[in-house]
């Protein structure tokens, strides 16, 4: 009684707190714990809900005259409060839920996804919030839940737009929302095996096998394990093993192919219905998986297309369920298909890729960009097939993450078990078997080409792919969770799920989700010769055991990857890190020509490339140059030059006897004195960072001179055409220490998006002036520049353009290395591609055509409302971002830049350019241009050249060779 009383008090406290304010993760965690201990879980009481809207006691069912009704539990007040305050919904009862609210369109379908995640958590954590409440009789009526599910899907599938935009999500939800008595047995197997391994660690090897390479033989393996460990296992573990064996036995029963026509009787007169009948007649007794899987894959893809064409919601539901049955066939049978030769392995890769598309893991338009049916027999052609197949595996994983990562991240904050959901989704998909076949193909091609990765001897070496060449020695840090809270150290090597948007200097980096190859993070890594690689999900997991070890990491110029323990390094590799003079590889930024006496706001049209590093930074100077070359593609703008910043820095600093500028210089002089005294580097750096933080806060409150404010008012009115505070603008930091010949500095300083009010613009100017003194910006400059203290920020002020999509153009084929090709990466809305979002990326070939390297996979994007700020919009992936005319406009722009930029700027620079641009209603706008800077030292390294294999792409491979 006392325990129950205390639990009630806790629930009352949390309910009151939720009503008053939004509970934090710790409070939600405590709430979950209380539900687990409560015999009613998250529920309050059982009631009858009648069709006339009345609610009756559990022993007083709805009379016939106002019935029928449904009986189920109501939610505790704390559960209802949590839904209102945090948009979190635990223990959802479908029969108690409005269909539109459950679809939750305005919140990117959060409630539906939470229902799926809730079911997963119950399966891996003994009921989760229903640990005791799952035995609360009458709380949920399965027949009512199933009836609700049928009506929900008929409602949902009646809208063709839903199917086109959300095919993957809807199809996944069919596995979890009851609607025909089926269970998601594959997930149940994985969950039950996890529970057993948590209770009996000796089961871990079997669990890994079941999760990564499941097949029907697992039933005998589990039985054998139980027999061999019978004396060591508790009765509870034995019971759970028996339950797992029963689940696997049910799951691995053959799907009744002959029953498919009956399950799809509503389309029997349609072409897809006839295709299903033909498939059933031909393959219901088929034992040869080399025949069964291709036929099943073709039908699976046909059904996906037919669902869109079909008009009846009930028929669409039948086709969706048939699609799930076909996926089940392939998931079970794929491990049994053991190709005899390379030709058959290519078939398997092609048809698993096709089935994977039919199951919704990539979009139909994306499938058309992949040529997996190609069977060229040269090494070059096979390598291209491998690249395409590997892309499909990556795109499939990113589809799962794009749909579920956000809600998983929210739940992981208070429920760590939620983190395994993404992995569970991927391991329960055809993409798992596709990835294994692609890995096998990769191993064969690596052997033929001698381009072999050598990473710690772990499995799936072909899962590694070099992005930037370079080498490093440092402690390996493997981060399986979110990278955003990790404090990185410059001499360590990091492995992330995804790269953090504001990455500080590191020795090396590898990521599962590479973001995109032209984001600011990737450009900095390429510039500084930081080795950078992409890897598969299972590669990251296999590297976890080396976390904390000192390792050597290298990426060759051709993209093969080496990682080994420090003790295993060769003498040549050790010699790469022989002690060198600290400043040997850094450059000095010239400051002799800076014109600090210029303290008038400038019209963007008044500056050009020759003013870079003198009046203003390269953003403004180069955009002014573009304004002269492409006047209709560049907005008007204001330039706040270096001189205005410096004149403000010459003012006395509050609570100090020196000016801001003197305070800054004292920091660096004192640091030099400390170094001369032999004080270690980290202590000196900490001193500088602490003092720079004080300076930064002071600059954010600096007094703005009256003359400057008057100029700003006039500049807005005369140049931008609107009064200050009446037009949304971007404030872009533009220092003399970026876009240099040997240092890009991309994304190190602040850009303020879409500000309107006078107060925010004034505050924004101060924030931009302060931004070069942040820890991240300072550390990157320290790593590469000899005189980082001489940083001068100017500010580029340009009107906001509410682009439909924006991105980056590199006038070089980064993937191919061909200087005549182009690389573009675009995201929906403003700013996503440069910030490292998963962007739609192409290589555009000089000879004609293009190759999709990656689709966009960001579920949200920014629009720029005229009132200021940003507005988050929800993205879907069924259509590509760029259209054919956009691609042609980009081609024309690149040709014009290559031809005219060197002449207009009187420069001998003949390298590639990095251009930021966007499209608004198909009109191209230019926002920035800079040199595309690569690390010459890494490119010319004798060591990296020595590990780069010479590949004969014309070498013929016998496709009939046995494997």
């Amino acid at each position: 009684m006392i325990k129950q009383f205390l639990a009630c008090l806790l629930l009352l406290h949390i309910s009151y707190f939720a009503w008053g304010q939004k509970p934090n993760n710790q409070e939600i965690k405590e709430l979950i714990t209380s539900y687990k201990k409560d015999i009613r879980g998250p529920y309050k009481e059982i009631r009858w809900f009648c069709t006339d809207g009345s609610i009756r006691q559990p022993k007083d069912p709805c009379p016939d005259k106002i019935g029928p009704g449904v009986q189920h539990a109501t939610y505790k007040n704390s559960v209802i409060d949590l839904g209102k305050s945090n948009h979190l919904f635990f223990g959802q009862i479908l029969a108690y839920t409005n269909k539109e609210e459950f679809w939750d369109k305005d919140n990117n379908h959060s409630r539906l996804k939470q229902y799926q995640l809730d079911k997963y958590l119950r399966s891996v954590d003994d009921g989760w919030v229903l640990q005791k409440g799952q035995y609360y009789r009458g709380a949920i009526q399965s027949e009512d839940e199933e009836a609700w599910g049928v009506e929900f899907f008929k409602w949902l599938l009646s809208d063709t737009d839903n199917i086109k935009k959300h095919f993957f999500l809807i199809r996944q939800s069919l596995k979890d929302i009851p609607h025909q008595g089926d269970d998601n047995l594959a997930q149940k197997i994985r969950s039950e095996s996890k529970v057993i391994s948590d209770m009996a660690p000796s089961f871990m090897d079997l669990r890994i096998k079941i999760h990564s390479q499941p097949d029907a033989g697992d039933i005998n393996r589990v039985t054998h394990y139980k027999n061999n460990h019978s004396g060591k296992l508790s009765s509870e573990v034995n019971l759970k093993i028996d339950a797992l064996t029963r689940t696997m036995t049910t799951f691995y029963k053959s799907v009744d192919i002959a029953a498919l026509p009956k399950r799809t009787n509503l389309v029997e007169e349609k072409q897809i219905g006839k295709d299903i009948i033909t498939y059933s007649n031909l393959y219901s007794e088929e034992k040869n998986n080399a025949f069964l899987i291709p036929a099943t894959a073709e039908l699976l893809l046909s059904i996906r297309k037919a669902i869109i064409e079909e008009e009846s919601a009930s028929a669409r539901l039948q086709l969706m369920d048939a699609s799930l049955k076909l996926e089940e066939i392939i998931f079970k049978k794929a491990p049994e298909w053991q190709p005899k030769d390379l030709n058959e392995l290519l078939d398997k890769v092609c048809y698993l890729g096709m089935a994977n598309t039919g199951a919704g893991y990539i979009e139909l338009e994306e499938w058309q960009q992949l040529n997996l049916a190609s069977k060229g027999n040269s090494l070059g052609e096979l390598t291209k097939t491998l690249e395409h197949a590997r892309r499909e595996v990556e795109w499939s994983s990113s589809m799962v993450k794009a749909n579920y990562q956000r809600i998983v991240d929210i739940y992981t904050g208070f429920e760590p078990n939620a983190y395994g959901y993404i992995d569970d989704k991927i391991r329960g998909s055809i993409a798992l078997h596709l990835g294994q076949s692609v890995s096998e193909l990769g191993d064969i091609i690596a052997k033929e080409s001698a381009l072999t990765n050598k990473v710690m001897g772990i499995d799936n070496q072909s899962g590694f792919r070099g992005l930037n060449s370079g080498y490093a020695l440092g402690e390996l840090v493997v981060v399986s969770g979110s990278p955003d809270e990790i404090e990185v150290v410059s001499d360590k090597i990091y492995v992330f799920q995804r790269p953090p948007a504001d990455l500080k200097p590191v020795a090396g980096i590898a990521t599962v989700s590479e973001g995109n190859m032209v984001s600011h993070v990737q450009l900095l890594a390429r510039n500084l010769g930081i080795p950078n690689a992409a890897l598969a999900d299972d590669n990251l997991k296999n590297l976890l055991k080396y976390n904390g070890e000192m390792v050597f990491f290298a990426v060759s110029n051709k993209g093969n990857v080496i990682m080994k323990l420090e003790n295993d390094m060769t003498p040549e590799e050790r010699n790469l890190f022989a002690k060198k003079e600290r400043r040997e590889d850094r450059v000095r930024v010239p400051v002799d020509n800076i014109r600090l006496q210029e303290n008038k706001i400038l019209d963007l049209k008044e500056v050009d490339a020759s003013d870079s590093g003198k009046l203003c930074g390269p953003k403004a100077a180069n955009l002014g140059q573009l304004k002269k070359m492409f006047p209709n593609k560049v907005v008007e703008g204001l330039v706040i030059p270096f001189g205005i910043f410096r004149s403000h820095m010459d003012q006395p600093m509050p609570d100090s006897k020196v000016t801001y500028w003197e305070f800054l210089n004292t920091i660096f002089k004192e640091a030099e004195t400390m170094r001369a005294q032999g004080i270690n580097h980290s202590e000196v750096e900490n001193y500088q960072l602490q003092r720079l933080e004080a300076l930064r806060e002071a600059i954010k409150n600096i007094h703005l001179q009256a003359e400057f404010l008057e100029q700003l008012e006039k500049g807005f009115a005369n140049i931008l055409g609107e009064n200050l505070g009446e037009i949304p603008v971007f404030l872009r930091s533009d220092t003399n220490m970026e876009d240099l010949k040997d240092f890009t500095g991309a994304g190190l300083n602040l850009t303020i998006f879409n500000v309107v009010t006078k107060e925010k613009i004034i505050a924004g100017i101060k924030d931009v002036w302060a931004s070069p003194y942040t820890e991240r910006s300072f550390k990157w400059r320290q790593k590469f520049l000899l005189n980082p203290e001489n940083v001068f920020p100017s500010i580029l002020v340009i009107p906001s353009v509410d682009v439909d999509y924006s991105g980056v153009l590199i006038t070089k084929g980064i993937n191919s290395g061909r200087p005549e090709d182009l690389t573009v990466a675009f995201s929906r809305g403003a700013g996503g591609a440069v910030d490292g979002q998963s962007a739609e990326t192409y290589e555009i070939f000089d000879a004609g055509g293009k190759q999709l390297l990656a689709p966009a996979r960001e579920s949200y994007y920014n629009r720029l409302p005229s009132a200021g700020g940003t507005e988050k919009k929800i993205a879907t992936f069924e259509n590509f971002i760029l259209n054919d005319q956009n691609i042609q406009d980009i081609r024309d722009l690149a040709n014009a830049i290559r031809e005219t930029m060197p002449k207009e700027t009187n420069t001998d620079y003949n390298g590639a350019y990095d251009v930021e641009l966007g499209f608004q209603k198909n009109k191209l706008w230019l926002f920035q241009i800079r040199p595309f800077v690569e690390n010459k030292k890494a490119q010319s390294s004798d060591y990296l050249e020595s590990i780069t294999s010479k590949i004969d792409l014309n070498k013929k491979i016998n496709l009939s060779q046995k494997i």
Side-chain angles (χ1 to χ4, degrees), residues 254-277:
S254 296
V255 173
D256 188 359
I257 292 176
L260 285 176
K262 291 181 182 178
R263 289 172 173 262
T264 54
N265 63 300
L266 295 178
V267 294
E268 61 185 1
E269 299 300 324
K270 306 283 181 68
Q271 182 58 52
I272 191 62
K274 294 174 183 177
D275 291 343
I276 291 171
I277 292 169

Side-chain angles (χ1 to χ4, degrees), residues 293 329-338 348 352 433:
I293 288 177
I329 291 170
I330 293 178
F331 187 81
K332 292 176 181 177
K333 297 296 183 182
E336 298 175 14
W337 184 5
Q338 298 294 325
K348 184 176 181 181
L352 288 180
H433 299 305

Side-chain angles (χ1 to χ4, degrees), residues 586-737:
R586 299 193 291 167
V587 296
R588 180 174 297 278
V589 179
V591 294
D592 298 340
N593 296 322
I594 291 184
R595 290 151 56 185
L596 297 176
Q597 71 278 9
E598 180 62 66
N599 57 7
K600 303 292 185 187
I601 291 178
L602 306 171
D603 187 332
L604 180 62
K605 291 192 290 287
E606 297 174 4
V607 301
D608 58 30
S610 65
D611 295 310
S612 179
K614 299 173 184 176
L615 281 176
C616 57
K619 285 192 186 80
N622 290 337
L623 192 62
Q625 187 69 55
L626 288 176
K627 182 71 173 172
K628 289 179 170 62
M629 296 164 56
F630 307 101
N632 296 324
K633 289 182 169 61
V634 179
V635 295
E636 302 297 330
L638 306 175
V639 181
I640 302 174
F642 298 141
I644 292 179
F645 164 76
R646 179 56 198 275
S647 68
H648 280 80
M649 291 288 282
D650 283 336
Q651 297 178 123
M653 188 170 166
D655 303 321
S656 174
K657 297 179 180 179
V658 297
T659 66
Y660 292 87
W661 190 252
E662 289 167 340
F663 184 89
L664 171 64
N665 280 277
T666 299
I667 296 172
F668 287 91
K669 288 177 182 175
E670 182 61 27
E672 284 299 325
T673 301
M674 293 170 72
R675 277 191 283 267
Q677 294 171 348
I679 296 174
N680 68 58
H681 171 71
S682 61
E683 191 173 336
V684 175
E685 184 176 78
N686 286 337
Y687 161 77
Q688 289 177 293
L689 290 173
Q690 289 173 5
R691 301 302 286 161
L692 287 173
E693 182 179 1
L695 175 65
R696 193 168 67 250
E697 291 306 311
I699 293 174
K700 287 182 178 182
N701 294 290
I702 199 169
H703 171 73
L704 294 185
Q705 298 161 356
E707 182 183 1
F708 167 61
L709 292 174
E710 184 180 343
Q711 288 182 47
L712 195 63
E713 296 269 9
K714 289 181 179 178
F716 266 75
N718 298 336
I719 299 171
L720 302 187
E722 298 281 354
N723 291 328
L724 177 62
E726 295 180 2
I727 179 175
V729 294
F730 274 47
L731 304 174
R732 305 199 67 178
S733 174
D734 190 20
T735 75
N736 61 320
M737 294 198 174

Side-chain angles (χ1 to χ4, degrees), residues 451-503:
L451 185 65
T452 306
N453 296 320
K454 297 177 182 177
V455 181
M456 298 298 205
I458 65 176
D459 293 336
N460 188 20
Q461 291 285 321
S462 64
F464 290 91
R465 175 166 51 88
L467 300 175
N468 297 329
S469 58
Y471 52 79
L473 174 64
E475 180 186 333
L476 181 65
V477 181
V478 184
V479 182
S480 59
S482 171
D484 295 328
E485 302 303 319
I486 301 297
E487 185 63 35
V488 302
V489 181
S490 63
D491 59 356
K492 295 184 180 182
I493 296 164
Y494 290 85
V495 180
F496 293 118
Q497 271 287 341
R498 60 174 172 82
D502 58 349
L503 183 68

Side-chain angles (χ1 to χ4, degrees), residues 234-296:
S234 68
S235 58
E236 185 180 4
V237 170
N238 277 312
L239 288 173
K240 291 188 180 297
I241 290 175
D242 291 340
L244 172 62
T245 304
R246 288 193 298 273
T247 305
M248 288 195 295
T249 301
T250 303
F251 177 74
Y252 282 108
K253 285 180 181 176
S254 296
V255 173
D256 188 359
I257 292 176
L260 285 176
K262 291 181 182 178
R263 289 172 173 262
T264 54
N265 63 300
L266 295 178
V267 294
E268 61 185 1
E269 299 300 324
K270 306 283 181 68
Q271 182 58 52
I272 191 62
K274 294 174 183 177
D275 291 343
I276 291 171
I277 292 169
T278 300
Y279 169 81
S280 173
N281 291 337
L282 291 176
Y283 296 100
S284 59
E285 302 297 328
E286 182 60 65
K287 303 300 182 186
N288 189 336
N289 291 312
F291 296 146
L292 177 62
I293 288 177
T296 308

